[in-house]
């Protein structure tokens, strides 16, 4: 049963794109040097994900299964290009921060994965909602990785947030200390923090399972 | 660890703890010499590195629920000790603690603890520190021996360690490798830049800037030979590593002495000797067979020379060791010894 | 609308599959070409705005009445391409901005150098770089005011031998732990001034009506 509650739960936690499916590793490593970049990438990906899920679901009866992959890829690539052009034209400051990475959304296998495993089999509203839930889950994981890397690596949090979200969000920017462990903002830091994130998620789930088992026994 | 059950194995009653104790014994002379050369800051730094390594070991063992299984065998203390020997001797305390954390918690226990780590923990920690804190990790000092009045007294040294007081300019200095790299980058060739520092490096006594483990070259060599004599380490890896470094260095130096250090400088400078005898010989992260050890040692030596000569970093041993650690499974795969009673083809099969 | 059963029958056939694929690609191409048309002007304006903004940082306000971003000459200096923007006021050239690049510690550093007719540096800004964060990135004006130390300099102020970082006996500060980056930038600015001295008459001659 794909109730909306379950879809939300899957996207945010149980089947989180980064922390459970281990998809979208490329952006998860490449853009998370700061929490702001993680957030920006997450939001852009969410937009593409909702649109692609909606589109794929609405044509799911027309698409023959033998050519579905090329069709999905054409759709996703076009959507990403549209987002790229639109950002460049109308949100140019943000584009200067994220521009290099927008093209990476195309190779984000998470999007094709959702099209293939969910949107092509579900009704349009459900598919759109799944895109939203998966996108938010992805964004949260990206921000979490980015926040840890930024705090440990450069001693700040949400640096240049106003560039992404507008001047009203300048208050998000925190300066904790000077310096920091450079390794964390360089590529190896992405691997280290992702490993930590996966371990933490498993530890939490393990603890919850054990607690559940104890409750079940005493009942 | 229990003795193997079936023949043809024989057990001589050795243990991990005994091996570690002998390695520590071999490291003692050079460490004491380093303490004398660099004074109280170096002594405190060593204590903090080894102490924090053991604390992290205890914490990891607790977290894994395994009690104190490998705390007493000295492997954590040795990893901390080796790390301390590669740090700038007057580093602040947090360098030591972060280094120990990386060595023990990430490089050792995240992979499953003693015997499971594919990478040498002390080298992982050193590389992580070097990349994370390039400033602190290149703050070398000239020797300021104990009782000479040049260095701080014990209390002042502890204060310096805890509050990271900047090192007085008069005492800062560069290592030989760092010096020639910096000079070369502004176009001064080796013929001009080496004489100032070179002699104090090759006499092997260590009256030059560097980490604890790269100054007393003769003492490291002596400690290493002691370990070979005791059978704790094989002679193959050290010999292969030193030849892998010295042979290309000698050839390049003969062709172009203005841009390539001599083989003697290469071997005595930096961490080459420490690495050859104490780091590359780590049984966990090196290949099993003789042929494998030969390839492994040669490749580390050669890569060290390549990195020192052509890369941005002045010293490359730690990088070379880690790169070759990563290759160990492949080396082992292709140098599997022939199984007794089987043809060479059978031994090589999948 | 085609009925459900017709669709079921058609889907496995090769012509239908080919047609669907072709249709998707056509629609996607159409959407993209429309988007390209719609966004071309705003993007060109935004990019020109970027150039203008970086030029304005190294040219004193009010010193020009043309659009230096559009007034472009291309030349090269020792194999490195240099873009020359000429600033005019009342038809007279007042300054130039050189957009050039140099090799830093970790790849290319792009920079713009504003030079007055008195052959003095009006300002230097770094446009892009990939130097180590926390060490070499102090060349950015957002991280440190180091690049401001070029303002007012001339090829003979300091004397040519002192056009270097302190470590090499010059007058410009290096950064703790990073010498290669500032060394590269100092050399690039000096090269820019020398290029101006050699070629500025040609540049201005092209512009004469």
């Amino acid at each position: 049963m794909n109730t909306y509650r379950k879809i939300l739960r899957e996207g945010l936690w149980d089947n989180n794109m980064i922390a459970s499916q281990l998809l979208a590793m490329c952006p998860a490593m490449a853009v998370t040097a700061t929490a702001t970049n993680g957030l920006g990438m997450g939001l852009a990906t969410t937009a593409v994900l909702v649109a692609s899920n909606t589109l794929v679901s609405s044509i799911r009866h027309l698409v023959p299964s033998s050519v579905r992959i090329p069709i999905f890829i054409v759709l996703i690539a076009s959507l990403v290009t549209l987002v790229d052009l639109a950002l460049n034209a109308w949100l140019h400051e943000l584009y200067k921060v994220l521009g290099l990475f927008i093209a990476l959304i195309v190779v984000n296998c998470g999007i094709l994965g959702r099209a293939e495993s969910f949107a092509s089999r579900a009704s349009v509203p459900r598919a759109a909602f799944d895109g939203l839930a998966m996108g938010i889950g992805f964004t949260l994981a990206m921000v979490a990785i980015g926040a840890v890397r930024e705090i440990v690596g450069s001693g700040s949090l949400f640096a240049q947030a106003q560039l992404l979200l507008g001047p009203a969000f300048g208050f998000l920017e925190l300066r904790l200390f000077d310096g920091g462990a450079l390794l964390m903002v360089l590529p190896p830091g992405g691997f280290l923090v992702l490993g930590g994130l996966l371990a933490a998620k498993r530890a939490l789930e393990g603890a919850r399972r054990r607690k559940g088992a104890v409750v079940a026994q005493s009942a | 660890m229990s003795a193997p059950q079936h023949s043809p194995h024989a057990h001589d009653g050795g243990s991990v703890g005994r091996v570690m104790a002998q390695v520590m014994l071999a490291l003692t002379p050079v460490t004491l010499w380093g303490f004398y050369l660099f004074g109280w800051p170096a002594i405190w730094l060593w204590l903090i590195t080894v102490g924090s390594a053991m604390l992290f070991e205890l914490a990891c063992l607790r977290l894994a629920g395994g009690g104190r299984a490998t705390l007493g065998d000295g492997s954590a203390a040795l990893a901390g000790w080796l790390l301390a020997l590669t740090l700038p001797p007057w580093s602040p305390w947090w360098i030591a603690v972060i280094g120990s954390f990386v060595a023990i918690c990430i490089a050792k226990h995240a992979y499953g603890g003693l015997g499971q780590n594919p990478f040498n923990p002390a080298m992982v920690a050193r590389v992580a520190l070097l990349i994370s804190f390039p400033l602190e990790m290149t703050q070398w000092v000239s020797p300021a021996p104990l009782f000479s009045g040049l260095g701080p007294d014990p209390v002042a040294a502890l204060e310096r360690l805890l509050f990271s007081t900047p090192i007085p300019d008069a005492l800062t200095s560069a290592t030989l490798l760092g010096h020639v790299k910096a000079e070369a980058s502004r176009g001064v060739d080796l013929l001009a830049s080496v004489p100032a520092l070179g002699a104090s490096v090759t006499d092997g006594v260590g009256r030059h800037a560097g980490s604890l483990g790269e100054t007393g070259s003769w003492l490291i060599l002596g400690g290493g030979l002691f370990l070979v004599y005791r059978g704790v380490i094989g002679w193959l890896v050290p010999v292969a590593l030193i030849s892998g470094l010295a042979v290309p260095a000698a050839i390049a130096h003969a062709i172009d002495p203005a841009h390539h250090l001599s083989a003697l400088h290469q071997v005595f400078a930096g961490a080459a000797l420490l690495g050859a005898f104490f780091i590359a010989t780590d049984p966990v992260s090196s290949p099993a067979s003789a042929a494998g050890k030969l390839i492994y040692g040669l490749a580390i030596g050669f890569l060290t020379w390549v990195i020192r000569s052509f890369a941005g970093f002045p010293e490359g041993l730690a990088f070379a060791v880690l790169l070759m650690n990563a290759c160990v499974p492949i080396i082992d795969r292709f140098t599997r010894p022939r199984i007794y009673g089987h043809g060479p083809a059978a031994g090589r099969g999948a | 609308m085609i009925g459900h059963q017709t669709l079921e029958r058609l889907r496995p056939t090769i012509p239908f599959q080919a047609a669907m694929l072709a249709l998707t690609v056509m629609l996607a191409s159409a959407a993209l070409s429309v988007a390209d048309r719609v966004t071309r002007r705003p993007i060109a304006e935004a990019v020109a705005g970027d150039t203008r903004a970086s030029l304005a940082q190294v040219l004193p306000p009010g010193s020009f009445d043309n659009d230096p971003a559009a007034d472009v000459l291309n030349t090269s200096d020792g194999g490195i391409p240099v873009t020359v923007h000429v600033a005019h006021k009342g038809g007279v050239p007042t300054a130039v901005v050189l957009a050039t690049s140099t090799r830093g510690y970790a790849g290319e550093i792009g920079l713009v150098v504003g030079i007055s007719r008195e052959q003095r540096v009006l300002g230097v800004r770094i446009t892009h770089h990939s130097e180590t964060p926390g060490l070499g990135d102090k060349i950015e004006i957002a991280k440190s005011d180091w690049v401001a130390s070029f303002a007012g300099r001339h090829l003979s102020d300091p004397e040519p031998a002192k056009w270097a970082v302190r470590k090499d006996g010059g007058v410009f500060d290096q950064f703790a732990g990073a010498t290669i980056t500032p060394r590269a930038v100092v050399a690039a600015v000096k090269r820019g001034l020398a290029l101006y001295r050699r070629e500025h008459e040609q540049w201005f001659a092209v512009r004469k009506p």
Side-chain angles (χ1 to χ4, degrees), chain A residues 65-95:
Chain A
S65 65
S66 42
V67 290
R68 69 186 192 284
I69 301 280
I71 287 182
F72 293 163
I73 288 182
V74 167
L75 288 179
I76 294 167
S78 315
L79 273 171
V80 172
T81 314
L82 290 180
V83 170
D84 185 79
L85 289 173
L87 275 184
N88 195 351
W90 294 297
L91 288 169
H92 193 69
E93 287 304 311
L94 177 58
Y95 184 81

mmCIF file of all heavy atoms in Angstrom, chain A residues 65-95:
data_model
loop_
_atom_site.group_PDB
_atom_site.id
_atom_site.type_symbol
_atom_site.label_atom_id
_atom_site.label_comp_id
_atom_site.label_asym_id
_atom_site.label_seq_id
_atom_site.Cartn_x
_atom_site.Cartn_y
_atom_site.Cartn_z
ATOM 1 N N SER A 65 7.812 -0.729 -22.530
ATOM 2 C CA SER A 65 8.854 -0.989 -21.541
ATOM 3 C C SER A 65 10.234 -1.129 -22.172
ATOM 4 O O SER A 65 11.233 -0.834 -21.545
ATOM 5 C CB SER A 65 8.513 -2.239 -20.730
ATOM 6 O OG SER A 65 8.524 -3.353 -21.588
ATOM 7 N N SER A 66 10.282 -1.555 -23.455
ATOM 8 C CA SER A 66 11.604 -1.783 -24.044
ATOM 9 C C SER A 66 12.344 -0.495 -24.360
ATOM 10 O O SER A 66 13.570 -0.505 -24.482
ATOM 11 C CB SER A 66 11.481 -2.641 -25.302
ATOM 12 O OG SER A 66 10.388 -2.200 -26.047
ATOM 13 N N VAL A 67 11.646 0.622 -24.501
ATOM 14 C CA VAL A 67 12.362 1.879 -24.765
ATOM 15 C C VAL A 67 12.205 2.862 -23.607
ATOM 16 O O VAL A 67 12.467 4.048 -23.761
ATOM 17 C CB VAL A 67 11.898 2.552 -26.078
ATOM 18 C CG1 VAL A 67 12.354 1.747 -27.276
ATOM 19 C CG2 VAL A 67 10.409 2.764 -26.096
ATOM 20 N N ARG A 68 11.754 2.358 -22.443
ATOM 21 C CA ARG A 68 11.459 3.301 -21.362
ATOM 22 C C ARG A 68 12.717 4.018 -20.859
ATOM 23 O O ARG A 68 12.676 5.216 -20.607
ATOM 24 C CB ARG A 68 10.755 2.604 -20.210
ATOM 25 C CG ARG A 68 11.627 1.630 -19.465
ATOM 26 C CD ARG A 68 10.844 0.858 -18.426
ATOM 27 N NE ARG A 68 11.735 0.137 -17.542
ATOM 28 C CZ ARG A 68 12.378 -0.983 -17.869
ATOM 29 N NH1 ARG A 68 12.224 -1.506 -19.082
ATOM 30 N NH2 ARG A 68 13.185 -1.566 -17.021
ATOM 31 N N ILE A 69 13.852 3.295 -20.771
ATOM 32 C CA ILE A 69 15.048 3.935 -20.210
ATOM 33 C C ILE A 69 15.507 5.121 -21.063
ATOM 34 O O ILE A 69 15.693 6.218 -20.538
ATOM 35 C CB ILE A 69 16.190 2.908 -20.028
ATOM 36 C CG1 ILE A 69 15.741 1.780 -19.105
ATOM 37 C CG2 ILE A 69 17.468 3.560 -19.527
ATOM 38 C CD1 ILE A 69 15.781 2.095 -17.644
ATOM 39 N N PRO A 70 15.677 4.933 -22.415
ATOM 40 C CA PRO A 70 16.061 6.117 -23.200
ATOM 41 C C PRO A 70 15.055 7.250 -23.079
ATOM 42 O O PRO A 70 15.455 8.423 -22.997
ATOM 43 C CB PRO A 70 16.146 5.600 -24.640
ATOM 44 C CG PRO A 70 15.751 4.186 -24.620
ATOM 45 C CD PRO A 70 15.721 3.715 -23.219
ATOM 46 N N ILE A 71 13.773 6.922 -23.026
ATOM 47 C CA ILE A 71 12.778 7.997 -22.923
ATOM 48 C C ILE A 71 12.928 8.742 -21.598
ATOM 49 O O ILE A 71 12.945 9.978 -21.561
ATOM 50 C CB ILE A 71 11.358 7.423 -23.085
ATOM 51 C CG1 ILE A 71 11.150 7.044 -24.558
ATOM 52 C CG2 ILE A 71 10.301 8.420 -22.636
ATOM 53 C CD1 ILE A 71 9.787 6.502 -24.881
ATOM 54 N N PHE A 72 13.091 7.991 -20.508
ATOM 55 C CA PHE A 72 13.262 8.647 -19.207
ATOM 56 C C PHE A 72 14.505 9.536 -19.217
ATOM 57 O O PHE A 72 14.494 10.656 -18.699
ATOM 58 C CB PHE A 72 13.408 7.613 -18.081
ATOM 59 C CG PHE A 72 12.167 6.801 -17.837
ATOM 60 C CD1 PHE A 72 12.229 5.619 -17.120
ATOM 61 C CD2 PHE A 72 10.937 7.217 -18.330
ATOM 62 C CE1 PHE A 72 11.090 4.867 -16.887
ATOM 63 C CE2 PHE A 72 9.788 6.469 -18.110
ATOM 64 C CZ PHE A 72 9.868 5.292 -17.399
ATOM 65 N N ILE A 73 15.568 9.022 -19.823
ATOM 66 C CA ILE A 73 16.820 9.789 -19.802
ATOM 67 C C ILE A 73 16.668 11.079 -20.597
ATOM 68 O O ILE A 73 17.096 12.148 -20.154
ATOM 69 C CB ILE A 73 17.988 8.933 -20.327
ATOM 70 C CG1 ILE A 73 18.328 7.880 -19.268
ATOM 71 C CG2 ILE A 73 19.202 9.796 -20.626
ATOM 72 C CD1 ILE A 73 19.486 7.004 -19.611
ATOM 73 N N VAL A 74 16.006 10.981 -21.749
ATOM 74 C CA VAL A 74 15.782 12.198 -22.546
ATOM 75 C C VAL A 74 14.979 13.208 -21.731
ATOM 76 O O VAL A 74 15.325 14.400 -21.665
ATOM 77 C CB VAL A 74 15.052 11.859 -23.860
ATOM 78 C CG1 VAL A 74 14.542 13.135 -24.523
ATOM 79 C CG2 VAL A 74 15.971 11.105 -24.792
ATOM 80 N N LEU A 75 13.934 12.717 -21.066
ATOM 81 C CA LEU A 75 13.095 13.628 -20.275
ATOM 82 C C LEU A 75 13.909 14.290 -19.169
ATOM 83 O O LEU A 75 13.852 15.503 -18.969
ATOM 84 C CB LEU A 75 11.922 12.855 -19.661
ATOM 85 C CG LEU A 75 10.841 12.426 -20.644
ATOM 86 C CD1 LEU A 75 9.744 11.643 -19.924
ATOM 87 C CD2 LEU A 75 10.228 13.642 -21.334
ATOM 88 N N ILE A 76 14.663 13.469 -18.425
ATOM 89 C CA ILE A 76 15.413 14.020 -17.288
ATOM 90 C C ILE A 76 16.475 15.005 -17.764
ATOM 91 O O ILE A 76 16.615 16.099 -17.221
ATOM 92 C CB ILE A 76 16.050 12.880 -16.471
ATOM 93 C CG1 ILE A 76 14.956 12.042 -15.812
ATOM 94 C CG2 ILE A 76 16.992 13.431 -15.412
ATOM 95 C CD1 ILE A 76 15.443 10.734 -15.239
ATOM 96 N N ALA A 77 17.194 14.620 -18.834
ATOM 97 C CA ALA A 77 18.245 15.508 -19.328
ATOM 98 C C ALA A 77 17.660 16.836 -19.785
ATOM 99 O O ALA A 77 18.224 17.905 -19.518
ATOM 100 C CB ALA A 77 19.003 14.838 -20.470
ATOM 101 N N SER A 78 16.486 16.769 -20.466
ATOM 102 C CA SER A 78 15.870 18.025 -20.919
ATOM 103 C C SER A 78 15.457 18.873 -19.723
ATOM 104 O O SER A 78 15.677 20.087 -19.695
ATOM 105 C CB SER A 78 14.637 17.756 -21.775
ATOM 106 O OG SER A 78 14.925 16.750 -22.696
ATOM 107 N N LEU A 79 14.853 18.222 -18.712
ATOM 108 C CA LEU A 79 14.426 18.971 -17.531
ATOM 109 C C LEU A 79 15.605 19.665 -16.858
ATOM 110 O O LEU A 79 15.520 20.829 -16.475
ATOM 111 C CB LEU A 79 13.786 18.010 -16.525
ATOM 112 C CG LEU A 79 12.300 17.756 -16.727
ATOM 113 C CD1 LEU A 79 11.835 16.641 -15.821
ATOM 114 C CD2 LEU A 79 11.527 19.037 -16.436
ATOM 115 N N VAL A 80 16.702 18.925 -16.732
ATOM 116 C CA VAL A 80 17.876 19.510 -16.085
ATOM 117 C C VAL A 80 18.377 20.698 -16.884
ATOM 118 O O VAL A 80 18.719 21.743 -16.335
ATOM 119 C CB VAL A 80 18.979 18.455 -15.913
ATOM 120 C CG1 VAL A 80 20.255 19.096 -15.426
ATOM 121 C CG2 VAL A 80 18.542 17.387 -14.941
ATOM 122 N N THR A 81 18.387 20.559 -18.215
ATOM 123 C CA THR A 81 18.841 21.672 -19.048
ATOM 124 C C THR A 81 17.924 22.874 -18.875
ATOM 125 O O THR A 81 18.392 24.018 -18.819
ATOM 126 C CB THR A 81 18.895 21.242 -20.523
ATOM 127 O OG1 THR A 81 19.547 19.973 -20.580
ATOM 128 C CG2 THR A 81 19.655 22.228 -21.353
ATOM 129 N N LEU A 82 16.621 22.605 -18.771
ATOM 130 C CA LEU A 82 15.686 23.719 -18.558
ATOM 131 C C LEU A 82 15.989 24.416 -17.233
ATOM 132 O O LEU A 82 16.040 25.648 -17.165
ATOM 133 C CB LEU A 82 14.244 23.204 -18.557
ATOM 134 C CG LEU A 82 13.712 22.727 -19.914
ATOM 135 C CD1 LEU A 82 12.273 22.243 -19.780
ATOM 136 C CD2 LEU A 82 13.787 23.842 -20.943
ATOM 137 N N VAL A 83 16.181 23.629 -16.180
ATOM 138 C CA VAL A 83 16.496 24.221 -14.873
ATOM 139 C C VAL A 83 17.789 25.032 -14.979
ATOM 140 O O VAL A 83 17.892 26.150 -14.476
ATOM 141 C CB VAL A 83 16.636 23.122 -13.800
ATOM 142 C CG1 VAL A 83 17.190 23.698 -12.508
ATOM 143 C CG2 VAL A 83 15.301 22.466 -13.554
ATOM 144 N N ASP A 84 18.772 24.461 -15.675
ATOM 145 C CA ASP A 84 20.063 25.122 -15.843
ATOM 146 C C ASP A 84 19.905 26.483 -16.516
ATOM 147 O O ASP A 84 20.411 27.500 -16.043
ATOM 148 C CB ASP A 84 20.961 24.198 -16.680
ATOM 149 C CG ASP A 84 22.368 24.725 -16.830
ATOM 150 O OD1 ASP A 84 23.135 24.566 -15.873
ATOM 151 O OD2 ASP A 84 22.676 25.286 -17.892
ATOM 152 N N LEU A 85 19.151 26.488 -17.632
ATOM 153 C CA LEU A 85 18.948 27.744 -18.363
ATOM 154 C C LEU A 85 18.187 28.749 -17.512
ATOM 155 O O LEU A 85 18.531 29.931 -17.453
ATOM 156 C CB LEU A 85 18.194 27.476 -19.668
ATOM 157 C CG LEU A 85 18.976 26.742 -20.763
ATOM 158 C CD1 LEU A 85 18.061 26.387 -21.919
ATOM 159 C CD2 LEU A 85 20.126 27.612 -21.247
ATOM 160 N N ALA A 86 17.135 28.260 -16.841
ATOM 161 C CA ALA A 86 16.303 29.171 -16.063
ATOM 162 C C ALA A 86 17.112 29.797 -14.928
ATOM 163 O O ALA A 86 17.039 31.010 -14.688
ATOM 164 C CB ALA A 86 15.096 28.422 -15.505
ATOM 165 N N LEU A 87 17.899 28.976 -14.224
ATOM 166 C CA LEU A 87 18.710 29.515 -13.133
ATOM 167 C C LEU A 87 19.701 30.532 -13.666
ATOM 168 O O LEU A 87 19.875 31.612 -13.102
ATOM 169 C CB LEU A 87 19.486 28.383 -12.443
ATOM 170 C CG LEU A 87 18.774 27.599 -11.362
ATOM 171 C CD1 LEU A 87 19.733 26.597 -10.752
ATOM 172 C CD2 LEU A 87 18.263 28.542 -10.285
ATOM 173 N N ASN A 88 20.341 30.193 -14.770
ATOM 174 C CA ASN A 88 21.340 31.087 -15.335
ATOM 175 C C ASN A 88 20.717 32.428 -15.713
ATOM 176 O O ASN A 88 21.302 33.487 -15.520
ATOM 177 C CB ASN A 88 21.971 30.426 -16.557
ATOM 178 C CG ASN A 88 23.260 31.114 -16.978
ATOM 179 O OD1 ASN A 88 23.594 32.174 -16.467
ATOM 180 N ND2 ASN A 88 23.974 30.504 -17.898
ATOM 181 N N ALA A 89 19.507 32.374 -16.226
ATOM 182 C CA ALA A 89 18.876 33.601 -16.703
ATOM 183 C C ALA A 89 18.294 34.430 -15.566
ATOM 184 O O ALA A 89 18.457 35.637 -15.535
ATOM 185 C CB ALA A 89 17.796 33.262 -17.717
ATOM 186 N N TRP A 90 17.621 33.774 -14.634
ATOM 187 C CA TRP A 90 16.838 34.566 -13.669
ATOM 188 C C TRP A 90 17.350 34.503 -12.228
ATOM 189 O O TRP A 90 16.938 35.260 -11.395
ATOM 190 C CB TRP A 90 15.369 34.153 -13.742
ATOM 191 C CG TRP A 90 14.797 34.514 -15.074
ATOM 192 C CD1 TRP A 90 14.663 35.788 -15.572
ATOM 193 C CD2 TRP A 90 14.316 33.634 -16.085
ATOM 194 N NE1 TRP A 90 14.139 35.738 -16.846
ATOM 195 C CE2 TRP A 90 13.902 34.427 -17.187
ATOM 196 C CE3 TRP A 90 14.181 32.247 -16.179
ATOM 197 C CZ2 TRP A 90 13.378 33.878 -18.347
ATOM 198 C CZ3 TRP A 90 13.663 31.704 -17.328
ATOM 199 C CH2 TRP A 90 13.266 32.525 -18.413
ATOM 200 N N LEU A 91 18.180 33.528 -11.913
ATOM 201 C CA LEU A 91 18.763 33.484 -10.565
ATOM 202 C C LEU A 91 20.278 33.397 -10.727
ATOM 203 O O LEU A 91 20.917 32.461 -10.295
ATOM 204 C CB LEU A 91 18.239 32.279 -9.787
ATOM 205 C CG LEU A 91 16.797 32.340 -9.328
ATOM 206 C CD1 LEU A 91 16.332 30.996 -8.805
ATOM 207 C CD2 LEU A 91 16.623 33.408 -8.250
ATOM 208 N N HIS A 92 20.829 34.420 -11.390
ATOM 209 C CA HIS A 92 22.204 34.306 -11.831
ATOM 210 C C HIS A 92 23.197 34.155 -10.682
ATOM 211 O O HIS A 92 24.169 33.415 -10.780
ATOM 212 C CB HIS A 92 22.577 35.512 -12.690
ATOM 213 C CG HIS A 92 23.857 35.341 -13.423
ATOM 214 N ND1 HIS A 92 23.990 34.439 -14.465
ATOM 215 C CD2 HIS A 92 25.075 35.895 -13.251
ATOM 216 C CE1 HIS A 92 25.223 34.481 -14.917
ATOM 217 N NE2 HIS A 92 25.903 35.352 -14.192
ATOM 218 N N GLU A 93 22.949 34.847 -9.555
ATOM 219 C CA GLU A 93 23.877 34.755 -8.422
ATOM 220 C C GLU A 93 23.952 33.328 -7.904
ATOM 221 O O GLU A 93 25.015 32.795 -7.625
ATOM 222 C CB GLU A 93 23.434 35.707 -7.289
ATOM 223 C CG GLU A 93 23.678 37.170 -7.586
ATOM 224 C CD GLU A 93 25.141 37.452 -7.929
ATOM 225 O OE1 GLU A 93 26.025 37.004 -7.173
ATOM 226 O OE2 GLU A 93 25.402 38.087 -8.967
ATOM 227 N N LEU A 94 22.771 32.704 -7.796
ATOM 228 C CA LEU A 94 22.731 31.310 -7.353
ATOM 229 C C LEU A 94 23.420 30.412 -8.376
ATOM 230 O O LEU A 94 24.135 29.476 -8.026
ATOM 231 C CB LEU A 94 21.268 30.885 -7.164
ATOM 232 C CG LEU A 94 21.029 29.436 -6.780
ATOM 233 C CD1 LEU A 94 21.747 29.089 -5.503
ATOM 234 C CD2 LEU A 94 19.545 29.169 -6.622
ATOM 235 N N TYR A 95 23.208 30.749 -9.652
ATOM 236 C CA TYR A 95 23.809 29.936 -10.704
ATOM 237 C C TYR A 95 25.325 29.956 -10.607
ATOM 238 O O TYR A 95 25.986 28.950 -10.850
ATOM 239 C CB TYR A 95 23.356 30.446 -12.074
ATOM 240 C CG TYR A 95 23.872 29.595 -13.204
ATOM 241 C CD1 TYR A 95 23.238 28.412 -13.532
ATOM 242 C CD2 TYR A 95 24.991 29.972 -13.930
ATOM 243 C CE1 TYR A 95 23.713 27.611 -14.561
ATOM 244 C CE2 TYR A 95 25.475 29.187 -14.957
ATOM 245 C CZ TYR A 95 24.824 28.004 -15.270
ATOM 246 O OH TYR A 95 25.296 27.216 -16.275
#
